[in-house]
Amino acid sequence: MIKEILPLIQLCDSNFPSGAFSHSFGLETYIQEDYVTTAEELKQFLHVYILKSLTYTDGLGCRIAYDLAAEQKLEELWALDEVLYASCSSAESREASRRIGQQMARMCLTLYPSDTLADYQKKIKKKQCYGHPALVFALVCYELTISRELAVMSCLYAGVSSLIQNAVRGIPLGQTDGQLLLLWAHEVIQSAVEVVEGLSESALGRTQPGLEIAQMRHEQLHVRLFMS
C-alpha cells in the first residue's frame, strides 16, 4: 500500500509543479471586494466552494474518469475532457484548468507513465483534448491501483490545498491560519467525497452563479496577484 500511496502524496504536494499557485478561481475578486479578509470568512467561502462547486466539477469528473479508465472507454473519456472544459463559464477559469491539466499531464507522464495517460497527452498535443487535472488524477490513481474513493479525495484535497496557500498570500494570512484551515477542510472534503459517490453524471458541472460571476469579474480587477 505504501508503494502506491507515496506517489499520490507527491502528486498532492503543494510543491508539485502544476502551476496551481498562479490561480485563485475567483477568490481574488472576493478578497479585493472585502468579502474574504479573515480566516473565518475564508472558511465560509471554502465550505461553499467545496460542497457547491468543486464537488460537482473536479470531484465528480475524477470519479467518472476513473470508471471510464477502468472500463477502457477512451472515447467517452476524451468526451468528458470536453464537457469539463465547456462547463466552466469563465474564460480565465477554463484557461486555468486547461493549463494546470496540461502541465500535470506532462509531468505525470514522466513520473507515472501509462498507456492511457500517454494517449491523453497525444490528444492534448494534437488539440483534440484540452487537459483537465481531474482526468489526470483519475488516470494516475487508476494506474497506481489506488481506490476510486481515494482518487477523488486526493483530487479535491490538492485543489483545496492550493487555494488555501494562495489565499494565505492574497489576503494575507499567517501560515498557521492556513494549516488550521486545511485541517478543518479534511472533514468537508470527506463529506464531498460521500456526496460524489451518490451523484449521477447529469450533475457534472453544477456550480454557484455568484462564484462564476466573481471568476468573470476577475478579468477587470485593477491589480491582480493571480491569473484567474
Side-chain angles (χ1 to χ4, degrees):
M1 185 66 173
I2 292 176
K3 182 180 178 181
E4 290 78 20
I5 290 296
L6 287 177
L8 186 57
I9 293 174
Q10 182 177 356
L11 184 59
C12 293
D13 194 291
S14 60
N15 289 320
F16 191 87
S18 67
F21 65 87
S22 297
H23 302 281
S24 80
F25 292 99
L27 173 58
E28 188 171 24
T29 304
Y30 287 105
I31 292 173
Q32 287 209 18
E33 294 179 350
D34 293 330
Y35 289 113
V36 179
T37 61
T38 66
E40 184 58 34
E41 289 170 346
L42 178 59
K43 180 186 291 187
Q44 294 172 12
F45 170 87
L46 289 169
H47 191 270
V48 174
Y49 177 73
I50 296 168
L51 294 179
K52 302 298 183 181
S53 180
L54 203 62
T55 295
Y56 298 91
T57 51
D58 291 45
L60 182 54
C62 184
R63 194 205 79 188
I64 296 171
Y66 188 100
D67 288 341
L68 292 175
E71 297 167 10
Q72 282 298 290
K73 295 182 177 179
L74 299 187
E75 292 306 316
E76 293 183 34
L77 190 61
W78 314 144
L80 175 63
D81 169 274
E82 185 170 0
V83 170
L84 283 168
Y85 180 81
S87 65
C88 184
S89 299
S90 165
E92 278 191 352
S93 293
R94 283 198 307 273
E95 182 68 8
S97 291
R98 184 187 68 82
R99 290 189 178 194
I100 294 171
Q102 289 188 7
Q103 177 61 21
M104 285 184 65
R106 286 193 295 268
M107 183 62 66
C108 288
L109 190 58
T110 300
L111 299 174
Y112 322 114
S114 71
D115 290 341
T116 307
L117 188 57
D119 288 343
Y120 191 31
Q121 175 69 348
K122 290 177 184 176
K123 288 278 186 181
I124 292 172
K125 285 185 174 181
K126 292 179 180 178
K127 300 188 183 301
Q128 296 172 342
C129 283
Y130 294 99
H132 197 282
L135 266 68
V136 178
F137 259 97
L139 296 180
V140 170
C141 288
Y142 176 73
E143 185 67 22
L144 293 173
T145 65
I146 290 168
S147 72
R148 187 179 76 176
E149 180 182 11
L150 187 52
V152 173
M153 185 180 299
S154 301
C155 181
L156 294 174
Y157 175 87
V160 173
S161 176
S162 295
L163 194 59
I164 289 175
Q165 287 304 309
N166 291 346
V168 165
R169 289 188 288 139
I171 291 176
L173 298 174
Q175 291 293 337
T176 299
D177 284 330
Q179 290 302 308
L180 286 171
L181 280 165
L182 188 56
L183 181 62
W184 161 84
H186 292 179
E187 186 174 346
V188 185
I189 292 170
Q190 180 60 54
S191 297
V193 173
E194 294 171 2
V195 171
V196 166
E197 287 297 315
L199 291 175
S200 67
E201 294 187 16
S202 63
L204 185 65
R206 185 187 304 173
T207 188
Q208 290 288 75
L211 179 60
E212 288 191 320
I213 292 170
Q215 292 171 347
M216 295 173 187
R217 294 182 62 220
H218 184 266
E219 298 180 30
Q220 306 301 321
L221 296 182
H222 295 298
V223 179
R224 302 187 302 175
L225 291 176
F226 303 102
M227 296 171 64
S228 72

